[in-house]
């Protein structure tokens, strides 16, 4: 990588992708290899962290299941301080930095401090989840709109979303951090008019060797997520495009049949 691309005292916000190091962009890999300080999230895969040079300082600022190791102003201050010390700083974020990654706040902090900052995009979890299931997120004549939302809310706050808009037919809905909110998502979408039999896809640890992929229908979404651990990153996809293998889910006596599979360990 040219020194002009990553000068001393500058910051790159780098998308680490969903976890599999082979899904990193070539640019992301080069930036990580050139970094002197890497400030990383908890959701960055171990295989990606293994690419950090031995001499680089690693700072874990991860947030998991409501337990925050660092608040956002502290993270902003760490980034700025490392760059002001003349070091090449990579802020390494799971997925794509621009999707629910609080990138705007970190860019603003750098610019306020007159620290050069740039963004390297990455593969977002929704893309990896659909790929793992062999599914598409759009479908001609059936799914012309794709909406990303986060199910994360501030502690004590309700999940305030426009459920009527999200329940619109022809929409594929990707719900990030969706495990704990699955019952709320199910109930509100159905109440807003989304059909109970709408296909859903639940993907846990997308792209990693211990990934799980579960197909079902919207009316069973709460059940499908019951056994998922609170530390396992979970993405929900809702819509006709994610029906398994392009087919329906069948029916049992209760009308709640589900089809599930565990992805074989790679």
């Amino acid at each position: 990588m040219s020194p002009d691309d990553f000068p001393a005292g500058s910051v790159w916000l780098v998308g680490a992708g969903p976890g599999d190091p082979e899904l990193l962009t070539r640019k992301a890999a080069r930036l990580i290899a050139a970094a002197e300080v890497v400030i990383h999230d908890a959701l960055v895969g171990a295989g990606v962290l293994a690419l950090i040079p031995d001499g680089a300082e690693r700072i874990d600022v991860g947030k998991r299941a409501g337990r925050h190791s660092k608040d956002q102003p502290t993270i902003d201050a760490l980034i700025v301080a490392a760059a002001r010390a003349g070091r090449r700083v990579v802020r390494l974020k799971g997925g794509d930095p621009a999707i629910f990654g609080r990138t705007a706040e970190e860019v603003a902090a750098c610019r306020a401090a007159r620290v050069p900052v740039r963004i390297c995009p990455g593969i977002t979890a929704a893309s990896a989840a659909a790929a793992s299931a062999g599914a598409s997120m759009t479908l001609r004549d059936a799914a012309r709109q794709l909406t990303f939302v986060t199910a994360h809310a501030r502690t004590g706050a309700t999940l305030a979303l426009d459920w009527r808009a999200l329940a619109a037919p022809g929409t594929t809905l990707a719900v990030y951090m969706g495990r704990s909110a699955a019952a709320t998502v199910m109930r509100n979408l159905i109440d807003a008019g989304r059909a109970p039999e709408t296909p859903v896809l639940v993907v846990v640890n997308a792209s990693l060797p211990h990934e799980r992929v579960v197909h079902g229908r919207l009316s069973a979404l709460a059940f499908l997520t019951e056994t998922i651990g609170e530390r396992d990153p979970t993405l929900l996809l809702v819509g006709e495009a994610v029906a398994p293998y392009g087919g329906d889910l069948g029916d049992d006596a209760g009308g709640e049949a589900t089809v599930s599979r565990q992805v074989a360990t790679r």
Side-chain angles (χ1 to χ4, degrees), residues 136-147 168-173 194 198 238-243:
S136 174
M137 290 188 287
T138 59
L139 186 64
R140 186 169 58 180
D141 298 328
R144 296 177 175 269
Q145 179 171 290
L146 175 60
T147 302
T171 298
T172 301
L173 178 63
R194 199 75 193 247
T198 301
V238 180
E240 287 71 17
V242 302

Side-chain angles (χ1 to χ4, degrees), residues 123-260:
I123 292 176
T124 190
S127 295
S132 292
S136 174
M137 290 188 287
T138 59
L139 186 64
R140 186 169 58 180
D141 298 328
R144 296 177 175 269
Q145 179 171 290
L146 175 60
T147 302
F148 291 172
V149 300
T150 175
H152 176 72
R154 293 181 186 274
T155 302
T158 59
L159 190 58
L161 297 172
D162 185 348
W163 295 105
R164 187 167 298 279
L166 296 178
T171 298
T172 301
L173 178 63
V175 184
Y176 287 70
M177 296 174 276
R179 180 199 61 83
S180 61
T184 299
V185 170
M186 175 189 73
R187 182 176 60 254
N188 281 286
L189 287 178
I190 292 174
D191 287 350
R194 199 75 193 247
E197 63 271 16
T198 301
V200 298
L201 182 65
V202 178
V203 181
V204 184
N205 293 304
S207 87
L208 295 175
H210 50 297
E211 167 185 88
R212 281 191 292 154
V213 177
V214 181
H215 288 284
R217 54 181 54 179
L218 181 57
S219 57
L221 184 57
F223 167 75
L224 296 176
T225 57
E226 276 184 353
T227 62
I228 298 172
E230 67 174 14
R231 295 179 63 86
D232 289 323
T234 303
L235 189 131
L236 316 176
L237 289 170
V238 180
E240 287 71 17
V242 302
Y245 318 114
D248 62 33
L249 296 170
D251 288 296
D252 65 4
E256 299 292 345
T258 62
V259 178
S260 66

Side-chain angles (χ1 to χ4, degrees), residues 26-172:
R26 293 173 64 184
K27 187 179 190 76
R30 290 197 301 269
L31 288 166
I32 293 169
E36 295 172 309
V37 179
V38 178
I39 301 170
H40 66 87
D41 288 343
L43 293 180
V44 175
V48 175
L49 294 177
L51 301 176
I52 299 173
D54 290 339
E57 180 181 2
R58 303 185 187 197
I59 303 174
D60 183 350
V61 295
K63 307 176 181 69
R64 294 296 289 269
R67 295 186 291 275
H68 293 196
S69 62
K70 297 285 190 298
D71 61 21
Q72 191 60 48
T74 299
I75 295 171
D76 296 343
L78 285 169
I79 295 168
V80 169
R84 280 181 163 169
R87 306 170 83 184
R88 291 187 293 272
V89 181
V90 162
R91 172 67 172 104
L92 193 57
K93 296 171 172 286
D96 183 284
I99 299 179
F100 306 125
R102 302 190 75 164
T103 289
E105 294 164 67
E106 293 173 4
V107 168
C110 288
R111 289 178 176 167
R114 300 184 181 276
V115 169
V117 58
R118 298 171 69 183
I119 300 171
C120 176
I123 292 176
T124 190
S127 295
S132 292
S136 174
M137 290 188 287
T138 59
L139 186 64
R140 186 169 58 180
D141 298 328
R144 296 177 175 269
Q145 179 171 290
L146 175 60
T147 302
F148 291 172
V149 300
T150 175
H152 176 72
R154 293 181 186 274
T155 302
T158 59
L159 190 58
L161 297 172
D162 185 348
W163 295 105
R164 187 167 298 279
L166 296 178
T171 298
T172 301

